[in-house]
Amino acid sequence: MSSAERSMAGVNKQSGELGDGLDKSTTKGNQLGKSILSIGAGVGAVKLVSTAVNMVKDSVEGAINRFDTLNKYPVVMKALGYSTEDVDRSMNKLSDGIDGLPTSLDEIVSSTQQLSISTGSLSKGTDTAIALNDAFLASGASTADATRGMQQYIQMLGKGEVDMQSWRTLQETMPIAMDKVAKSFKEQGVNSVNQLYDALKEGDIT
């Protein structure tokens, strides 16, 4: 065999080894890719299961909270001296008041309970809860904003005075209703929401 032939044979051998090496690398790369995909799929499955479990957990907890609220309402109201008929009348009025609205019964019941304690009247608490809920939704508030605004109103009512932070929350959550309420006191010299705040703060309007 000539030197040229020996050189060519060596090149072919090295080429073959290189090809085998590339084939093995490709195989290993494919295996690695499959492993990574498998791990990714596994992680995704775990996340999916975890999300599903959390959704079920939140749903169950929400249902329990709603159940507790609705069950405690007549008990608390009766403890405050209201009759079964009073409570049933309130529940029926609340159910009718939110019919077709995104507000849940347990939310409006919770607000009514707090308002009734603050006002000293179940009837007034029921009417106020429905009126406020309507005012929030009519102003374009979401159910979350309506709940936030309702809590601020209840806090002010409980303290017996207005504060700027709560007032700003009401302005944010029911601007249309607040404007109409302010203008309804025009005869008392009130022409804006800010003037209404000042009048309430000074005790000129209660």
Side-chain angles (χ1 to χ4, degrees):
M1 180 183 292
S2 67
S3 59
E5 290 175 337
R6 283 198 299 273
S7 297
M8 183 59 68
V11 169
N12 289 337
K13 181 180 179 183
Q14 290 177 351
S15 298
E17 291 175 350
L18 179 61
D20 291 341
L22 288 173
D23 288 340
K24 291 178 180 178
S25 295
T26 301
T27 302
K28 289 180 179 178
N30 289 337
Q31 291 175 345
L32 177 61
K34 289 179 180 178
S35 297
I36 291 173
L37 288 174
S38 297
I39 292 171
V43 171
V46 170
K47 286 184 177 179
L48 183 62
V49 171
S50 178
T51 300
V53 169
N54 287 334
M55 287 177 64
V56 171
K57 180 182 176 183
D58 291 342
S59 178
V60 171
E61 287 179 349
I64 291 173
N65 289 334
R66 289 192 291 273
F67 182 77
D68 285 345
T69 299
L70 296 176
N71 272 309
K72 288 177 181 177
Y73 181 60
V75 175
V76 173
M77 292 297 101
K78 287 176 184 177
L80 293 172
Y82 298 103
S83 66
T84 301
E85 290 75 17
D86 291 332
V87 176
D88 288 343
R89 194 178 302 114
S90 172
M91 285 291 287
N92 290 332
K93 197 167 190 177
L94 292 172
S95 295
D96 292 339
I98 63 171
D99 186 34
L101 300 178
T103 309
S104 65
L105 184 59
D106 65 301
E107 288 175 336
I108 198 75
V109 162
S110 178
S111 297
T112 300
Q113 181 174 302
Q114 297 175 69
L115 286 166
S116 298
I117 293 172
S118 296
T119 61
S121 167
L122 177 55
S123 176
K124 186 178 291 185
T126 301
D127 291 340
T128 302
I130 293 173
L132 280 171
N133 188 62
D134 288 344
F136 285 120
L137 297 180
S139 291
S142 64
T143 53
D145 282 339
T147 299
R148 183 165 61 96
M150 183 80 76
Q151 287 304 312
Q152 291 297 321
Y153 180 87
I154 292 171
Q155 285 180 23
M156 287 195 298
L157 195 63
K159 291 188 293 186
E161 61 180 12
V162 296
D163 63 86
M164 183 53 73
Q165 181 179 351
S166 296
W167 192 256
R168 292 299 184 204
T169 299
L170 292 181
Q171 284 184 283
E172 291 172 10
T173 53
M174 58 172 183
I176 297 174
M178 289 288 284
D179 182 63
K180 290 182 179 296
V181 169
K183 290 177 178 177
S184 70
F185 289 97
K186 187 173 292 185
E187 293 182 1
Q188 283 96 320
V190 173
N191 294 299
S192 68
V193 175
N194 288 334
Q195 288 181 344
L196 178 58
Y197 172 80
D198 292 335
L200 287 167
K201 194 72 174 175
E202 295 299 323
D204 298 331
I205 296 176
T206 59

